[in-house]
Amino acid sequence: SQIKTQTGTADWKFIRTVVQHLGSRIPILANGNIETLEDVRACLQYTGCDGIMSSESILEYPPLFTETQTPACDYRRTGPGRVDIAQEYLD
């Protein structure tokens, strides 16, 4: 099994610097500290990157990139639950 380790926070400032220097030549994708849809929006706005990658958070909460029309509160996801999503596909 995978042992979860603390990897620290993503350096969005560094990503923004890469975008400023190379963004006109190649697409730049950001990765790190993406736990909510609000994080996606904030990262895109702050860094100017072309897209977002997510691994742990998207596996933990598949509708991460879905507009749920409910804001995140205290870093808790407030969108549809896993059972609600599964039920939608079972019906």
Side-chain angles (χ1 to χ4, degrees):
S1 69
Q2 182 180 1
I3 299 173
K4 190 171 185 173
T5 60
Q6 290 286 5
T7 57
T9 58
D11 188 348
W12 288 359
K13 184 178 178 183
F14 181 77
I15 296 169
R16 183 174 60 188
T17 300
V18 171
V19 168
Q20 290 169 347
H21 292 322
L22 299 174
S24 64
R25 292 188 267 168
I26 61 171
I28 308 294
L29 302 176
N31 186 19
N33 296 98
I34 305 297
E35 296 180 1
T36 66
L37 186 57
E38 288 80 14
D39 293 340
V40 170
R41 290 183 180 122
C43 183
L44 289 170
Q45 181 178 7
Y46 182 81
T47 65
C49 67
D50 297 292
I52 300 291
M53 294 189 309
S54 177
S55 57
E56 291 178 14
S57 294
I58 201 80
L59 290 172
E60 182 181 316
Y61 188 66
L64 175 68
F65 295 124
T66 303
E67 179 63 65
T68 61
Q69 310 217 341
T70 54
C73 300
D74 297 324
Y75 301 102
R76 291 178 293 138
R77 295 182 181 98
T78 59
R82 291 176 186 86
V83 174
D84 295 332
I85 295 166
Q87 188 65 43
E88 177 182 337
Y89 289 97
L90 293 174
D91 287 340

